[in-house]
Amino acid sequence: MKGRTWWGSSSLKEGEVSDISECQTMCSLDKNCSGATFNSVKKYCWTRSGDGDISAGDDSDYALIPS
């Protein structure tokens, strides 16, 4: 979801990634990951666990929520 962020309730892994698919993979490899936020300018991914709300972010932010 472009322009949105997902912070869940606690932090998991974060770090530099090359693209959005690498961020999605980072989340999918952790069974506790409930979603992530990817920033396309910073090329950075934050994976999160738990529940939370999707929030407004920068135009370069993408909320990634597994279905």
Side-chain angles (χ1 to χ4, degrees):
M1 298 176 162
K2 183 175 174 39
R4 303 282 191 217
T5 60
W6 169 259
W7 299 117
S9 60
S10 66
S11 178
L12 292 172
K13 186 177 180 180
E14 66 179 73
E16 291 183 18
V17 294
S18 59
D19 56 32
I20 195 167
S21 65
E22 193 173 333
C23 187
Q24 290 169 321
T25 299
M26 185 188 295
C27 184
S28 69
L29 292 174
D30 187 331
K31 66 180 174 85
N32 295 314
C33 186
S34 59
T37 297
F38 170 69
N39 182 284
S40 61
V41 172
K42 296 176 183 176
K43 302 246 186 234
Y44 205 83
C45 180
W46 297 265
T47 62
R48 308 293 287 186
S49 65
D51 294 327
D53 295 322
I54 296 170
S55 304
D58 294 334
D59 284 342
S60 57
D61 288 329
Y62 292 82
L64 307 174
I65 310 296
S67 52

